[in-house]
Amino acid sequence: MALVFPQPPDADDYDGERRWRKDCKRETIEARHRRLSKLGPALGDLAALRHLDVGDNEIEAFEGGDHAAMETLSIYSNRLASLVSLPRFENLRFLGVGYNQIEALPRTLGERCPRLECFDGAYNALTSLDVTVDALGGCMHLRQCVLTGNPCALLPNYRKRVAFGLPQLARLDDAEVAPVDAADGDDTTITIHVALRALLGLSGAPPTAADEAGPEEEGVFVELMV
């Protein structure tokens, strides 16, 4: 049976009705380790809610639930593969979706979270840096972003490309964004590093350019001229 949060009580559930009225007045709710599978449309009925933590569940999607007042939403360690169904959070400042299986961010992220200041998408499956930066670029108030642990964070010039694409960013992962990070971000040569080092039995940090690769890494780099 799919467990949806929040779940309004049945008409004849008097104890549940009492708990529901209490929940509707709460500003902070923590609902971890409950095997929840979805965030439902009744989320918008919790009008007083400002901070919600539903980490360590089995959430795969959202079913409506636009919310005008929520400021922080933590959905760490769930089963999200996409944010396509993300509702609109008019006042959301922090969105934490780390340790899921998200493969791409929707281009409408900025429309759904127009006041987002901090995004934590660490340890997901984000592969395209261009798609990721394009989606985050719509978040005009974004100041802090965490992408470490994603395949796209292993690409050469990762910090430079993110900083150039998101000039409003003050902090990326665990370090402040320095002016040098954003310099020359529009290089005409894009180096794509195919992340197959583990499969090839290569150890250590990946080289930052094709001409720095050793003989055993021949073929790992591809250069595209645009």
Side-chain angles (χ1 to χ4, degrees):
M1 178 179 179
L3 297 180
V4 180
F5 177 89
Q7 186 64 59
D10 296 329
D12 57 351
D13 185 355
Y14 301 108
D15 289 337
E17 180 65 28
R18 185 165 55 250
R19 289 193 299 269
W20 177 253
R21 287 198 299 267
K22 184 181 296 185
D23 284 344
C24 288
K25 297 178 181 179
R26 296 172 62 183
E27 293 189 359
T28 300
I29 293 180
E30 181 178 304
R32 301 168 61 91
H33 302 287
R34 297 189 184 182
R35 296 186 177 180
L36 303 174
S37 61
K38 294 181 181 180
L39 291 182
L43 183 63
D45 297 337
L46 303 178
L49 187 61
R50 299 293 184 274
H51 311 283
L52 176 62
D53 184 353
V54 287
D56 297 293
N57 281 291
E58 301 171 5
I59 295 173
E60 299 178 343
F62 306 85
E63 290 186 346
D66 292 2
H67 202 290
M70 193 181 302
E71 298 178 8
T72 67
L73 176 58
S74 298
I75 322 179
Y76 292 96
S77 301
N78 276 273
R79 296 181 180 179
L80 289 172
S82 171
L83 293 179
V84 170
S85 60
L86 185 71
R88 179 177 173 84
F89 294 101
E90 181 66 35
N91 204 42
L92 197 69
R93 263 64 171 182
F94 171 82
L95 176 60
V97 292
Y99 297 90
N100 281 279
Q101 298 126 35
I102 300 170
E103 298 180 353
L105 300 181
R107 296 188 66 180
T108 57
L109 184 61
E111 299 174 12
R112 302 178 191 190
C113 306
R115 299 187 181 182
L116 192 66
E117 298 175 2
C118 179
F119 174 80
D120 185 353
Y123 295 95
N124 275 280
L126 301 174
T127 55
S128 172
L129 193 56
D130 289 337
V131 171
T132 301
V133 171
D134 184 53
L136 293 172
C139 303
M140 306 306 296
H141 300 281
L142 192 68
R143 299 287 293 166
Q144 184 172 350
C145 179
V146 182
L147 297 174
T148 186
N150 285 282
C152 67
L154 300 175
L155 295 171
N157 301 315
Y158 156 69
R159 289 189 63 85
K160 179 181 291 188
R161 291 170 62 185
V162 174
F164 183 80
L166 304 173
Q168 76 277 26
L169 208 61
R171 191 173 186 85
L172 175 60
D173 297 334
D174 59 352
E176 294 183 358
V177 175
V180 67
D181 289 328
D184 300 322
D186 57 346
D187 293 339
T188 56
T189 301
I190 300 176
T191 304
I192 299 178
H193 184 189
V194 182
L196 297 176
R197 296 179 58 81
L199 296 177
L200 295 175
L202 303 176
S203 60
T208 57
D211 55 8
E212 296 177 16
E216 72 279 6
E217 298 180 88
E218 184 178 356
V220 175
F221 286 91
V222 178
E223 297 250 332
L224 298 181
M225 301 299 295
V226 295

